[in-house]
Amino acid sequence: MSQALVHNATRGTGKRQRLAKPELLAPAGSLEKLKFAVHYGADAVYIGGQKYGLRSNADNFSFEEMREGVEFAAKYGAKVFVATNIYAHQEDLDGITSYLKELEDAGIAAIIAADPAIVELAQQVAPKLEVHLSTQQSTMNWQAVQFWKEEGLPRVVLAREATMNEIREMKARVDVELEVFIHGAMCSSVSGRCVLSNHFTDRDSNRGGCCQSCRWKYDLHADEQSIMEPGDNLFTMGSKDLCMIQHIPDLIEAGVDSFKIEGRMKSIHYVASVVNVYRQAIDAYMESPEEYELLPEWVEDIGKAANRPLNTGFFYAVPGSEEHIYEAEEKPAPYDFAAIVTDYDEATGIATVQQRSPFRPGMEVEFFGPGGRRFIQQVTEITDEEGNSLSVARHPLQKIRIATLQPVSPLDLMRKRLS
């Protein structure tokens, strides 16, 4: 178990304490996304299996895919966690024992659980699996953290509503790993405990069926009459997304052990972009805290992958009305994921890319890869694999050849600037 602070000198010398490097934990909604998350710098990824998780609509993993994911992650020294974070009805527990044992056999490092029945059962039947307490337990005080430590859990995933001061106190009082969401979507309900989806669609949010009803568009009524004027935008209840890239020093100094990114339903572009930025920021601070500075390109790159406006959640203050989205959302930056680099010929300077959304000659695109490598260029001539010139790359997954201004590597990504 990692410690919040590791002394590099005896007390009384006045020397600065050396901070432990936090884990960067990324979402992976599919095996492909897992590989990109790890390749772009994640220390660990969390995934969902075919059962017992809260993202039933994600491309959840079979046991065979889990084994492949574990094997791939191990090459990078990374770990794989599995979300088993439903609140279970009795019928949900059928088969849970064999499921947990299979996770253990597949090499999964830990499960993320909320229901005490699943927590206790995992400790009994799959002792090699660490059990991390899910954010669904809404843990916001050090006494609760102490309780779960005494129950044998090495890590607690805090509620998104926990403040920076509360995190500091938890870490000072309890020697246990703390995992904290630092980027991604926020729930309009406390720690995801929502029943709107149940009410409107009979889909249970706490059993993996959330219909995102807070993002729906609503009319406003008073005394059974609409109070909206013709042409008014319909009302939504969604919150802005969380982003802590500007506050990496605070998180590390507070002793947070694991920086968690939300987004198992998000794209490869989102996962790679966000992981890439936080990886650079964490490494830069750990290398030289005194000389650390936030680079503008980090904030810019986060914006290129953002789906909604961003804020700092509950870390410094309770979000007010200005931290919610009431009208039509606008993408913060006009960029879209266009292609994945699959090969590069150094002799010709020609890259082979796999199309993920249409692009054409004349478009401005940006190539980027792990560690902050990136450059912008205009697309010149493009051809298919047989060398035929194309006016547009229109077919999904088609292999396209394109000249690049700088060398690129497999798994680099290309995004396009939208006009």
Side-chain angles (χ1 to χ4, degrees):
M1 183 184 302
S2 64
Q3 301 294 315
L5 297 174
V6 179
H7 293 278
N8 64 353
T10 58
R11 293 188 180 184
T13 64
K15 291 186 178 180
R16 197 180 191 282
Q17 292 174 324
R18 186 187 301 277
L19 293 162
K21 193 171 189 176
E23 170 188 272
L24 181 57
L25 176 58
S30 68
L31 183 59
E32 184 179 39
K33 293 174 187 177
L34 180 152
K35 293 179 179 180
F36 274 88
V38 171
H39 180 71
Y40 276 77
D43 299 304
V45 295
Y46 63 101
I47 67 175
Q50 301 288 320
K51 299 180 179 179
Y52 312 114
L54 291 186
R55 291 292 182 269
S56 59
N57 292 326
D59 295 327
N60 291 313
F61 285 61
S62 66
F63 289 122
E64 182 179 350
E65 289 172 325
M66 288 184 192
R67 290 185 177 89
E68 184 176 343
V70 168
E71 182 179 354
F72 180 88
K75 295 177 182 177
Y76 289 77
K79 298 179 180 179
V80 180
F81 307 151
V82 172
T84 55
N85 51 349
I86 65 167
Y87 282 108
H89 288 237
Q90 198 63 50
E91 65 193 55
D92 295 323
L93 294 176
D94 292 342
I96 184 67
T97 297
S98 59
Y99 181 81
L100 293 170
K101 290 180 178 179
E102 191 75 30
L103 294 181
E104 184 181 51
D105 291 341
I108 299 301
I111 62 166
I112 305 168
D115 194 311
I118 296 177
V119 169
E120 185 175 48
L121 188 61
Q123 291 172 324
Q124 293 172 355
V125 304
K128 293 180 183 178
L129 278 179
E130 283 192 0
V131 180
H132 299 170
L133 187 72
S134 171
T135 189
Q136 295 297 112
Q137 270 290 346
S138 306
T139 306
M140 288 179 280
N141 61 76
W142 72 263
Q143 291 93 336
V145 173
Q146 180 66 37
F147 171 83
W148 288 108
K149 179 188 176 182
E150 292 172 359
E151 290 297 308
L153 274 63
R155 179 182 295 192
V156 173
V157 187
L158 297 183
R160 286 177 172 86
E161 295 77 25
T163 69
M164 193 68 78
N165 287 336
E166 288 169 336
I167 293 169
R168 292 190 186 100
E169 183 171 14
M170 293 175 200
K171 199 63 195 179
R173 289 178 175 269
V174 187
D175 181 18
V176 72
E177 292 182 359
L178 297 181
E179 181 177 305
V180 173
F181 280 96
I182 53 93
H183 194 94
M186 297 284 284
C187 184
S188 294
S189 296
V190 176
S191 292
R193 295 189 178 196
C194 181
V195 294
L196 283 177
S197 178
N198 306 53
H199 176 71
F200 287 130
T201 67
D202 199 29
R203 288 170 52 182
D204 192 338
S205 300
N206 295 301
R207 298 169 79 188
C210 181
C211 68
Q212 302 284 310
S213 49
C214 58
R215 305 283 180 189
W216 293 0
K217 296 180 179 180
Y218 295 89
D219 198 347
L220 297 181
H221 285 68
D223 299 325
E224 300 184 358
Q225 296 293 322
S226 173
I227 61 174
M228 300 187 76
E229 299 292 334
D232 283 350
N233 289 319
L234 295 178
F235 175 84
T236 71
M237 296 180 287
S239 61
K240 294 180 180 179
D241 282 2
L242 174 65
C243 176
M244 289 293 285
I245 189 59
Q246 295 177 308
H247 304 279
I248 293 300
D250 280 1
L251 291 164
I252 295 177
E253 296 283 348
V256 175
D257 295 277
S258 180
F259 287 15
K260 188 170 192 174
I261 298 167
E262 182 275 340
R264 279 193 285 145
M265 301 288 286
K266 300 289 180 64
S267 69
I268 291 170
H269 175 241
Y270 171 90
V271 172
S273 298
V274 174
V275 169
N276 200 14
V277 169
Y278 280 101
R279 176 78 280 153
Q280 294 173 70
I282 292 169
D283 290 349
Y285 186 81
M286 296 305 301
E287 182 176 347
S288 182
E290 294 79 9
E291 298 178 4
Y292 175 84
E293 62 177 323
L294 178 73
L295 299 184
E297 54 261 37
W298 295 344
V299 179
E300 181 184 344
D301 281 357
I302 288 288
K304 290 174 183 177
N307 295 304
R308 304 183 186 96
L310 306 171
N311 68 11
T312 56
F314 288 80
F315 281 102
Y316 300 105
V318 175
S321 59
E322 69 282 359
E323 304 304 333
H324 287 74
I325 301 168
Y326 298 106
E327 297 183 350
E329 302 172 18
E330 292 185 2
K331 188 175 175 64
Y335 284 85
D336 198 10
F337 177 30
I340 299 170
V341 176
T342 61
D343 195 14
Y344 177 72
D345 187 333
E346 293 184 5
T348 63
I350 300 294
T352 301
V353 303
Q354 185 187 68
Q355 190 259 44
R356 291 303 175 100
S357 67
F359 61 92
R360 68 180 68 242
M363 274 189 169
E364 180 182 285
V365 297
E366 181 179 28
F367 286 91
F368 70 97
R373 295 185 291 103
R374 65 175 190 163
F375 63 91
I376 294 173
Q377 71 170 65
Q378 190 175 63
V379 177
T380 55
E381 182 184 14
I382 59 175
T383 66
D384 61 21
E385 289 186 282
E386 286 72 42
N388 300 308
S389 183
L390 300 174
S391 61
V392 59
R394 67 174 76 253
H395 302 296
L397 306 183
Q398 183 182 17
K399 293 291 184 67
I400 302 293
R401 289 177 176 166
I402 175 176
T404 61
L405 292 180
Q406 298 180 26
V408 291
S409 300
L411 299 187
D412 283 0
L413 299 184
M414 186 184 91
R415 54 188 164 214
K416 61 186 179 183
R417 183 175 181 86
L418 304 177
S419 59

